[in-house]
Amino acid sequence: MVHHSGSIQSFKQQKGINISKSEIAKETSLKPSRRSLPCLAQSFAYSKNLSQSTSLFQSTESESQAPTSVTSVSADKAEQVNTEEDKKDSVLKCSFADLGDFCLALGKDKDYMDESEHANYDRSRLIKDSVPKDNSESKTRLSKNDMNYIASSGLLFKDGKKRIDYILVYRKSNIQYDKRNTFEKNLRTEGLMLEKEPAVANPDIMFIKIHIPWDTLCKYAERLNIRMPFRKKSYYTDRRSKSMGSVQHYFKRIKKWMAQNPMVLDKTAFPDLENSDCYTGPFSRARIHHFIINNKDTFFSNATRSRIVYHMLQHTKYEHGISKVGICKLINNGSYIAAFPPHEGAYKSSLPIKTYGPQNNRHLLYERWARWGMWYKHQPLDLIRLYFGEKIGLYFAWLGWYTGMLIPAALVGLCVFFYGILTMNASQVSNEICKATEVFMCPRCDKNCSLQRLNDSCIYAKVSYLFDNGGTVFFAIFMAIWATVFLEFWKRRRSTLTYTWDLIEWEEEEETVRPQFEAKYYKMERVNPISGKPEPHQPFSDKVTRLLVSMSGIFFMISLVITAVFAVVVYRLVVMERFASFKWNFIKQHWQFATSAAAVCINFVIIMLLNLAYEKIAYFLTNLEYPRTESEWENSFALKMFLFQFVNLNSSIFYIAFFLGRFVGHPGHYNKLFNRWRLEECHPSGCLIDLCLQMGVIMFLKQIWNNFMELGYPLIQNWWSRHKIKQEIQNASIPQWENDWNLQPMNIHGLMDEYLEMVLQFGFTTIFVAAFPLAPLLALLNNIIELRLDAYKFVTQWRRPLPARATNIGIWYGILEGIGILAVITNAFVIAITSDYIPRFVYEYKYGPCANHLGDGENCLKGYVNNSLSFFDLSELGMGKSGYCRYRDYRGPPWSSKPYEFTLQYWHILAARLAFIIVFEHLVFGIKSIIAYLIPDVPKHLYDRIRREKYLVQEMMYEAELEHLQQERRKSGHPIHHEWP
């Protein structure tokens, strides 16, 4: 059998494909490719092997002999399927002798090499090309896992043969019987098998077990264009990679002598994660012989089966009418109370996993991922994706990537902090403050405050230096660049995952219209440009009006947050004098610290209370907009929740960073709120210590609260459910689906809460990191706990969510980019305005000993504290005291020609601050842009591989089409000449 190049050329021309002269020259000497032979041989081998054992399109006896409550597909459909089966069995009846001789005649292809191919093809090799090398071991593993799955999980119908793919739950006392009955009849008509079983613990609860047969599975897999493996991959190897082969082999030999990385997972513990390493294509029943089907029970994964069943549940009618469709509407109207895919058995086993192996994938996930003892291990992302779907798999991949990228940020922040500790005693500013025993600060309140020595704030000055030292500017620039590198490399990581998980060419199917949208606008229809069907349409004027109302609600809630912050500010002003005259000596001496600490705690309580109100208001405003699809609803709701909680968390921090102590006036002429309360001023050592306290307390308390609500609350609820069940039943065993029903359902908003928590933390880590270098370290420690906490919650405390597909993290990536831009601006303002970096810089080069380069060898900041404090005449206060007190500002002394007016140094500092902000922002934004440009979204080798595979798949399709033409010639009785037609 020899390829005929002229036939290929004529075929391509018939298909309207342009062929260049160079391509014709290449095709002239085209020989049968080694990569095309396995496809042809496997096509015949698999179809023959499966036809000998069992027909792929005939239901087994166990499926046809269903219980009385189970209804299979109709006889007409079965005849049609059998007719299609006869047609497919007649395809590709080429002899193995010809293929064997053909394979032996081929030489090695120098450009393409299968990673598992090192010899000529023979018959057995062709049939078992996708089977691992150790067939006996793989078969043992496969059969063992299947038997464990069937025996231990109990997720079967009463006949013990049909697996359960989905569970519906309803109450017998519910009166929506007609809707359920119609819905279940339509499900049976579509090809699903149903079986009812009452609950053990509650007789009012009824479970409906759903099983999808093989023929129905194939029909909907084809309809949904689900991609399945059909060919083993071959990789392109250039000369450079061949020359590097010996070097890589040498390094592999060295690596064997090195200790194994304890963070890497043991691959032998994951027998189900062996890569099939196959090309995939949309499933087609007409070409089923092209797909690699070793076992029809495991060909479609549990996640794929659940996804297909959910699609059928969503598109099945329960009443007459266009909008009377879908399980979601039935749950909303109370016909059913839950619908979920079951877990694959228990997550714990009395048998040790190292000896007996995992009982199911849930058990394996718990032992190798969700246990707290695995906190230092890498995540089994492929298994997470296999069990929970790509959407949840991408969340854990992103969370793991974020946590890993926090390690360098935490180390640099820790180095900056330790630099402050090591150089604290050498700090000229803090030493001058600690030695200023004869310098008295002006009273900081009107009634109960007295003069305070400057050296009383020695401790605060040393603590402030830990966060405000020479490394602050460097760390702020580093974190701005880090945020860009994190996002850019995440895009590369995401592209690798989408390729590995076969999501490159996956397109999300057209979403169905939300029932609320449909009920509101059913009278106004227009033709959908994609589906070509009429559907409800929202007029533009109505949409704009609702968006304006929603935006007004958002601004109202933001103003409510500002009001809450204002209330906390008033509280600080009121209790400031109370703490200054407090009976306890400690609070009286540290009244400003006590004021700030109490205000932070009160502010945190207000934040938590407002968050509860924000969720309900955001839910109401989103429903008021009437989004068309669920994804539009999720994006709108997520954006509102982020805006509300971001403003709620950071408004008080913005006040302390940019407003506290900026508008207090000066002694003798203080600005007062409502002409009653004197505005609060910064500590003599600066406002940065207040900002650090605010950030540290809110970040720490919020993480503890979130962790409790994510794990502690579900644990208590699940424990209470088990406790009630134990009281009602004593020795009866509870099936797996009822145990799943007793677990907590996944959050109604999906992964929004998880993403929102991490995105807000990302804001804390980047926006004010110049004031709190330990923020990345706290975030890292929290995320190590959060990662295993979420894993434990998904595996043990929640019902199994629907394994949904996704190619990215959605709207959250855009929010992260926005936070990265805001972080550059805020850090520039924190360094320029909040910290004393710019005043020290101006003094050092303009007013200090080194201003005229005359103070070589002398500390350039000598005298800075005295220079930064202004004088005030105490006799002007009317307190019966004379002399002078000092206050933080750059104003003229009482004896000057313009007393208490801003000095020239003040304007120099202001100009330097504005210049620093401009230079810092342009520098950092320029570096960020260059880094984003230099780092491609898709790695070069991956980009080349994707293009190469597209080319190979196209060539395979040509060969398959030529093969089809040859088969048509056989059927028409034309002579067959062992050549392409």
Side-chain angles (χ1 to χ4, degrees):
M1 187 182 296
V2 182
H3 280 282
H4 196 280
S5 59
S7 300
I8 296 177
Q9 181 180 349
S10 62
F11 170 73
K12 290 184 178 182
Q13 290 175 349
Q14 289 174 6
K15 293 293 182 181
I17 301 174
N18 296 326
I19 305 174
S20 63
K21 294 182 178 180
S22 59
E23 290 176 341
I24 296 175
K26 291 179 182 178
E27 290 177 349
T28 304
S29 59
L30 182 63
K31 294 182 179 181
S33 165
R34 289 177 68 250
R35 63 183 177 275
S36 64
L37 279 173
C39 181
L40 301 179
Q42 287 178 22
S43 302
F44 177 73
Y46 284 124
S47 61
K48 182 176 179 180
N49 186 23
L50 291 171
S51 63
Q52 289 176 354
S53 58
T54 179
S55 175
L56 294 177
F57 287 96
Q58 288 179 346
S59 301
T60 59
E61 294 182 1
S62 61
E63 292 177 348
S64 60
Q65 297 174 356
T68 56
S69 60
V70 181
T71 305
S72 62
V73 293
S74 63
D76 296 336
K77 290 186 178 181
E79 284 184 1
Q80 183 180 358
V81 171
N82 291 335
T83 305
E84 295 177 0
E85 164 68 15
D86 295 335
K87 292 181 180 179
K88 283 185 282 294
D89 284 341
S90 63
V91 179
L92 288 179
K93 294 183 178 178
C94 56
S95 65
F96 275 112
D98 293 338
L99 285 173
D101 296 336
F102 197 13
C103 294
L104 292 174
L106 288 175
K108 287 276 187 176
D109 190 350
K110 296 181 179 180
D111 293 331
Y112 308 99
M113 182 177 65
D114 244 351
E115 62 178 359
S116 62
E117 294 170 359
H118 301 286
N120 292 331
Y121 282 97
D122 57 9
R123 176 179 175 182
S124 60
R125 184 68 178 177
L126 289 172
I127 297 176
K128 302 175 182 178
D129 186 51
S130 64
V131 181
K133 294 180 180 180
D134 193 350
N135 291 333
S136 60
E137 182 181 356
S138 63
K139 288 180 180 178
T140 303
R141 287 176 177 176
L142 183 61
S143 60
K144 182 179 179 180
N145 289 336
D146 289 343
M147 291 305 295
N148 287 338
Y149 174 78
I150 294 173
S152 65
S153 65
L155 293 174
L156 300 171
F157 276 27
K158 292 179 181 178
D159 60 359
K161 297 180 180 179
K162 302 179 186 64
R163 73 164 67 184
I164 300 174
D165 296 309
Y166 224 86
I167 297 292
L168 302 180
V169 188
Y170 69 91
R171 297 185 183 276
K172 296 179 183 178
S173 57
N174 187 275
I175 60 175
Q176 305 280 354
Y177 172 77
D178 294 334
K179 295 180 180 179
R180 287 197 304 269
N181 189 35
T182 303
F183 184 70
E184 291 164 14
K185 285 182 178 179
N186 291 335
L187 289 178
R188 293 189 180 99
T189 304
E190 288 294 324
L192 295 178
M193 295 183 176
L194 312 180
E195 185 177 75
K196 295 183 179 180
E197 186 168 331
V200 177
N202 187 353
D204 188 42
I205 298 296
M206 181 66 73
F207 296 99
I208 299 179
K209 298 175 285 186
I210 300 178
H211 167 74
I212 180 168
W214 171 257
D215 51 355
T216 308
L217 201 57
C218 292
K219 179 177 69 175
Y220 276 90
E222 182 177 8
R223 184 177 298 178
L224 297 176
N225 290 324
I226 294 178
R227 303 180 67 86
M228 302 303 294
F230 72 92
R231 267 295 319 279
K232 191 167 182 64
K233 287 184 179 179
S234 54
Y235 294 99
Y236 176 75
T237 57
D238 55 9
R239 294 181 179 179
R240 180 178 178 274
S241 62
K242 290 179 180 179
S243 63
M244 290 294 292
S246 58
V247 179
Q248 292 176 355
H249 180 69
Y250 176 74
F251 278 109
K252 285 182 180 179
R253 292 180 60 185
I254 296 177
K255 193 174 180 180
K256 289 182 179 179
W257 293 92
M258 298 174 63
Q260 185 181 6
N261 185 356
M263 299 176 66
V264 177
L265 289 166
D266 184 10
K267 292 184 179 180
T268 59
F270 299 92
D272 292 333
L273 298 185
E274 295 175 353
N275 293 327
S276 59
D277 208 16
C278 291
Y279 296 113
T280 60
F283 183 79
S284 172
R285 289 179 291 173
R287 294 194 177 109
I288 195 170
H289 47 274
H290 285 288
F291 295 92
I292 303 173
I293 306 177
N294 294 320
N295 186 342
K296 71 174 187 176
D297 293 329
T298 58
F299 178 62
F300 294 101
S301 65
N302 290 335
T304 303
R305 297 172 69 99
S306 300
R307 208 157 41 231
I308 292 175
V309 174
Y310 180 76
H311 174 83
M312 298 176 69
L313 293 175
Q314 281 288 78
H315 293 81
T316 301
K317 289 188 175 183
Y318 59 87
E319 274 185 352
H320 294 290
I322 299 176
S323 62
K324 308 298 184 180
V325 180
I327 185 64
C328 291
K329 294 182 180 179
L330 288 172
I331 293 177
N332 291 334
N333 63 32
S335 300
Y336 294 95
I337 54 179
F340 55 89
H343 276 296
E344 296 181 5
Y347 66 88
K348 283 187 177 180
S349 175
S350 58
L351 303 176
I353 190 173
K354 291 184 178 180
T355 306
Y356 295 91
Q359 302 300 311
N360 49 66
N361 285 334
R362 188 189 186 194
H363 180 215
L364 182 60
L365 280 172
Y366 175 77
E367 292 290 339
R368 302 301 184 190
W369 178 51
R371 286 193 305 111
W372 295 106
M374 308 300 291
W375 66 271
Y376 61 94
K377 292 285 189 181
H378 292 171
Q379 298 185 92
L381 293 178
D382 290 332
L383 185 59
I384 298 171
R385 170 245 183 176
L386 180 68
Y387 194 81
F388 291 110
E390 287 80 2
K391 191 172 185 178
I392 294 177
L394 273 177
Y395 163 72
F396 281 105
W398 176 83
L399 181 57
W401 184 258
Y402 172 44
T403 304
M405 288 293 291
L406 279 173
I407 295 176
L411 291 177
V412 175
L414 202 60
C415 290
V416 172
F417 182 77
F418 277 118
Y419 170 79
I421 293 177
L422 295 176
T423 60
M424 180 191 301
N425 295 328
S427 172
Q428 180 67 27
V429 177
S430 59
N431 288 336
E432 288 185 0
I433 291 177
C434 293
K435 294 177 182 179
T437 57
E438 301 300 326
V439 178
F440 292 90
M441 303 298 294
C442 296
R444 298 169 64 190
C445 60
D446 292 335
K447 295 182 179 180
N448 300 317
C449 296
S450 59
L451 298 178
Q452 182 182 3
R453 294 180 186 271
L454 179 60
N455 67 334
D456 290 344
S457 60
C458 177
I459 297 177
Y460 297 100
K462 290 183 178 294
V463 174
S464 297
Y465 180 78
L466 297 178
F467 305 101
D468 186 11
N469 51 62
T472 303
V473 177
F474 162 76
F475 188 58
I477 297 176
F478 171 82
M479 287 303 297
I481 298 173
W482 172 87
T484 301
V485 172
F486 160 66
L487 293 175
E488 292 299 322
F489 275 97
W490 162 247
K491 287 193 287 188
R492 292 168 63 88
R493 174 63 173 160
R494 184 200 66 84
S495 63
T496 303
L497 286 175
T498 53
Y499 168 78
T500 306
W501 292 349
D502 195 29
L503 296 172
I504 296 294
E505 297 183 0
W506 176 78
E507 295 182 1
E508 192 170 358
E509 62 177 311
E510 179 68 11
E511 289 189 87
T512 56
V513 178
R514 295 181 72 240
Q516 295 86 346
F517 182 89
E518 197 171 19
K520 178 70 175 178
Y521 300 104
Y522 71 96
K523 293 183 179 179
M524 293 168 279
E525 291 186 344
R526 76 170 183 180
V527 177
N528 188 312
I530 299 175
S531 63
K533 298 179 180 179
E535 65 178 17
H537 170 65
Q538 184 181 18
F540 178 76
S541 58
D542 182 78
K543 186 175 183 178
V544 171
T545 303
R546 293 183 177 277
L547 284 176
L548 290 176
V549 173
S550 179
M551 291 175 63
S552 302
I554 293 174
F555 284 119
F556 172 76
M557 294 307 302
I558 292 177
S559 64
L560 182 62
V561 174
I562 297 174
T563 304
V565 174
F566 180 76
V568 175
V569 171
V570 173
Y571 163 80
R572 294 171 67 111
L573 300 180
V574 171
V575 303
M576 185 170 57
E577 295 187 1
R578 301 289 183 182
F579 282 152
S581 59
F582 211 72
K583 295 181 179 179
W584 293 355
N585 190 35
F586 176 80
I587 295 180
K588 188 175 182 179
Q589 291 181 352
H590 305 281
W591 59 269
Q592 191 168 9
F593 175 80
T595 301
S596 299
V600 169
C601 295
I602 293 175
N603 187 38
F604 176 76
V605 174
I606 293 175
I607 287 173
M608 292 295 104
L609 293 176
L610 288 178
N611 281 345
L612 298 176
Y614 289 155
E615 183 173 355
K616 296 181 180 179
I617 294 173
Y619 194 85
F620 170 77
L621 292 177
T622 307
N623 287 333
L624 187 65
E625 296 174 6
Y626 282 98
R628 178 179 171 274
T629 61
E630 286 296 331
S631 62
E632 292 178 5
W633 189 96
E634 290 178 3
N635 291 338
S636 178
F637 182 74
L639 184 60
K640 291 181 180 61
M641 285 297 296
F642 169 75
L643 289 176
F644 288 160
Q645 294 209 18
F646 180 81
V647 175
N648 191 23
L649 281 174
N650 294 283
S651 54
S652 59
I653 299 176
F654 271 90
Y655 164 74
I656 294 175
F658 305 126
F659 297 98
L660 179 63
R662 307 296 168 199
F663 312 101
V664 295
H666 62 85
H669 194 270
Y670 283 114
N671 297 322
K672 294 185 177 182
L673 183 65
F674 303 132
N675 292 325
R676 180 176 181 182
W677 294 299
R678 173 178 158 184
L679 295 180
E680 187 180 5
E681 57 183 308
C682 293
H683 200 272
S685 59
C687 293
L688 204 63
I689 187 66
D690 294 324
L691 182 59
C692 295
L693 178 66
Q694 184 83 9
M695 287 187 62
V697 171
I698 289 180
M699 190 173 185
F700 180 74
L701 293 180
K702 189 173 188 304
Q703 289 177 350
I704 292 178
W705 175 258
N706 288 338
N707 291 339
F708 169 76
M709 292 302 296
E710 285 187 14
L711 183 62
Y713 187 65
L715 276 174
I716 295 173
Q717 286 185 314
N718 291 334
W719 172 83
W720 180 247
S721 299
R722 291 193 300 268
H723 179 70
K724 291 193 298 183
I725 292 174
K726 288 181 180 179
Q727 289 181 342
E728 295 175 0
I729 57 174
Q730 298 297 330
N731 299 321
S733 60
I734 300 177
Q736 180 61 45
W737 54 84
E738 190 164 348
N739 285 327
D740 292 347
W741 159 249
N742 292 323
L743 295 177
Q744 297 301 309
M746 186 178 176
N747 194 302
I748 189 174
H749 309 308
L751 294 169
M752 193 213 67
D753 288 343
E754 277 69 27
Y755 275 118
L756 179 62
E757 179 185 355
M758 290 296 102
V759 169
L760 291 174
Q761 184 205 81
F762 180 80
F764 261 92
T765 307
T766 55
I767 292 179
F768 291 100
V769 73
F772 192 52
L774 295 180
L777 179 63
L778 292 180
L780 174 63
L781 297 177
N782 174 78
N783 284 9
I784 293 175
I785 299 173
E786 178 76 20
L787 196 61
R788 303 301 160 177
L789 186 147
D790 283 347
Y792 184 83
K793 176 177 62 179
F794 271 91
V795 173
T796 67
Q797 301 302 311
W798 278 1
R799 297 174 195 162
R800 187 178 184 180
L802 177 71
R805 306 198 82 185
T807 57
N808 50 54
I809 61 175
I811 194 175
W812 300 108
Y813 184 83
I815 293 176
L816 290 171
E817 284 190 324
I819 291 176
I821 295 173
L822 180 62
V824 177
I825 301 173
T826 53
N827 281 306
F829 276 87
V830 167
I831 295 173
I833 296 177
T834 309
S835 74
D836 289 337
Y837 176 80
I838 298 300
R840 290 198 302 264
F841 182 83
V842 172
Y843 176 81
E844 185 174 358
Y845 292 100
K846 180 65 178 176
Y847 297 96
C850 304
N852 298 321
H853 304 284
L854 299 177
D856 294 338
E858 189 177 2
N859 195 319
C860 296
L861 287 176
K862 185 178 180 180
Y864 166 75
V865 174
N866 183 63
N867 177 265
S868 64
L869 300 176
S870 299
F871 288 89
F872 180 75
D873 189 357
L874 287 173
S875 61
E876 298 182 18
L877 291 177
M879 299 174 58
K881 295 182 180 181
S882 61
Y884 297 99
C885 66
R886 311 293 294 272
Y887 62 98
R888 282 175 56 91
D889 211 340
Y890 293 93
R891 294 178 182 269
W895 57 83
S896 65
S897 59
K898 295 181 179 180
Y900 310 125
E901 296 273 337
F902 288 119
T903 63
L904 183 62
Q905 186 176 355
Y906 169 83
W907 299 109
H908 285 168
I909 292 174
L910 179 61
R913 283 172 168 166
L914 295 177
F916 175 84
I917 292 173
I918 295 173
V919 172
F920 182 89
E921 289 182 356
H922 282 72
L923 175 65
V924 176
F925 280 132
I927 296 174
K928 287 167 65 73
S929 301
I930 293 173
I931 291 176
Y933 175 77
L934 293 178
I935 301 176
D937 295 347
V938 181
K940 181 64 168 60
H941 69 278
L942 181 60
Y943 178 73
D944 292 339
R945 178 175 291 185
I946 293 173
R947 293 183 62 192
R948 183 66 184 166
E949 290 186 5
K950 286 183 178 179
Y951 167 77
L952 292 177
V953 170
Q954 186 180 20
E955 192 176 71
M956 292 174 205
M957 298 303 293
Y958 285 146
E959 292 175 350
E961 204 63 39
L962 291 171
E963 184 182 344
H964 176 69
L965 293 176
Q966 183 186 18
Q967 197 65 33
E968 291 294 327
R969 174 173 290 185
R970 282 199 185 100
K971 290 182 179 179
S972 60
H974 289 80
I976 301 175
H977 304 289
H978 298 290
E979 61 182 16
W980 296 109

